């Protein structure tokens, strides 16, 4: 059974509902805006091709998408290849890095939507095959990585995304069609990143302190892979770029299915 993040890192259903339907801007939109640095390294991984992609429909309702619309066969192959490539790069980096660049392993946090969960599982299996240490030895499901909710457009043709994006660029707080505001996605995802950075750092510090008296290793970092959805990950990337809001998320390079992208705090 997949590990679940502590209650500290999970939204209550009522809070999530309020977040997705509110048209007002949260008090803090980008939790990374004034963050001086992040201890760990972060990567965005979009899910592989899903059955919803094949059907060209919008799938954003948790009641449906957590049980339906998993990966197509192509998507399964994409996710496996992404894991294999990441594992190879990880091992290459480990063999050539200085001590200060050593990583403890890979921490994989995933949306609980079926397409993301299946992607994360296949991706992680490739790392296990190479005996790369995995945080909790499994993926961790995190609701704040869920797809942006597209309201009344859910279940309809995916060419309707553009209607939402056209308004996002001028008003990232809008909730037209009952969608979750882009700024609300930015808030929940960047808050997650800051909390994960603190959580993983606290665990590393504790481990380091228990070995320091006997000359143990210095504090090590994690490579953190966030498995989610195109809109969510591009909006989150605006946070790493220190944008004040999510208005320009569609100006970023499009993140294709099963593509992994390093997220660097600008």
């Amino acid at each position: 059974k997949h590990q679940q993040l502590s209650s500290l890192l999970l939204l209550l259903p009522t809070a999530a509902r309020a977040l997705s339907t509110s048209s007002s801007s949260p008090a803090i939109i980008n939790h990374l805006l004034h963050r001086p640095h992040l201890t760990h390294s972060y990567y965005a991984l979009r899910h592989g091709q899903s059955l919803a992609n094949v059907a060209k429909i919008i799938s954003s309702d948790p009641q449906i998408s957590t049980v339906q619309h998993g990966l197509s066969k192509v998507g399964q192959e994409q996710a496996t290849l992404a894991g294999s490539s990441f594992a190879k790069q990880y091992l290459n980096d480990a063999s050539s890095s200085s001590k200060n660049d050593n990583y403890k392993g890979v921490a994989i946090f995933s949306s609980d939507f079926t397409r993301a969960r299946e992607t994360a599982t296949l991706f992680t299996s490739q790392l296990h095959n190479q005996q790369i240490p995995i945080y909790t030895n499994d993926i961790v499901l995190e609701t704040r990585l869920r797809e942006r909710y597209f309201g009344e457009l859910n279940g309809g043709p995916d060419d309707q995304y553009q209607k939402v994006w056209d308004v996002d660029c001028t008003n990232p707080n809008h909730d037209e069609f009952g969608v979750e505001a882009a700024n609300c996605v930015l808030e929940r995802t960047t808050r997650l990143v800051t909390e994960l950075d603190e959580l993983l750092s606290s665990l590393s510090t504790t481990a380091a302190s228990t070995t320091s008296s006997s000359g143990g290793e210095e504090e090590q970092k994690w490579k953190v892979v966030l498995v989610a959805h195109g809109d969510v990950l591009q909006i989150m990337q605006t946070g790493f770029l220190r944008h004040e809001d999510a208005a320009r998320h569609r100006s970023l390079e499009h993140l294709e299915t099963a593509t992994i992208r390093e997220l660097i705090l600008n």
Side-chain angles (χ1 to χ4, degrees), residues 106-150:
V106 181
I108 302 167
F109 297 86
S110 174
S111 160
D112 61 346
F113 277 29
T114 306
R115 56 192 184 267
R117 192 173 67 243
E118 291 180 355
T119 298
T121 299
L122 290 169
F123 180 91
T124 304
S125 69
Q126 295 302 304
L127 275 61
H128 277 308
N129 289 345
Q130 298 299 321
Q131 298 183 323
I132 295 172
I134 304 296
Y135 173 71
T136 75
N137 205 39
D138 201 353
I139 68 173
V140 181
L141 300 180
E142 171 51 70
T143 59
R144 281 176 287 183
L145 291 173
R146 281 178 172 176
E147 175 66 289
R148 179 183 184 184
Y149 182 60
F150 281 90

Side-chain angles (χ1 to χ4, degrees), residues 88-108:
K88 181 178 180 180
Q89 187 62 55
Y90 180 94
L91 294 174
N92 287 342
D93 291 346
S95 65
S96 61
S97 295
S98 66
K99 184 176 180 181
N100 288 338
D101 290 330
N102 282 344
Y103 285 89
K104 187 176 181 64
V106 181
I108 302 167

Side-chain angles (χ1 to χ4, degrees), residues 116-212:
R117 192 173 67 243
E118 291 180 355
T119 298
T121 299
L122 290 169
F123 180 91
T124 304
S125 69
Q126 295 302 304
L127 275 61
H128 277 308
N129 289 345
Q130 298 299 321
Q131 298 183 323
I132 295 172
I134 304 296
Y135 173 71
T136 75
N137 205 39
D138 201 353
I139 68 173
V140 181
L141 300 180
E142 171 51 70
T143 59
R144 281 176 287 183
L145 291 173
R146 281 178 172 176
E147 175 66 289
R148 179 183 184 184
Y149 182 60
F150 281 90
E152 65 190 59
L153 302 180
N154 187 71
D158 60 11
D159 60 6
Q160 299 301 296
Y161 282 129
Q162 194 62 49
K163 290 182 177 180
V164 177
W165 297 336
D166 286 344
V167 185
D168 284 349
C169 61
T170 57
N171 179 16
N173 291 316
H174 84 90
D175 62 355
E176 291 193 31
F177 314 106
V179 305
E180 179 183 7
N183 274 349
C184 289
V185 177
L186 179 60
E187 191 280 329
R188 63 172 160 98
T189 55
T190 57
R191 176 159 48 90
L192 172 63
V193 170
T194 61
E195 291 180 7
L196 290 179
D197 208 63
E198 292 164 6
L199 171 68
L200 294 172
S201 294
S202 68
L203 295 175
S204 296
T205 301
T206 301
S209 65
T210 61
T211 59
S212 59

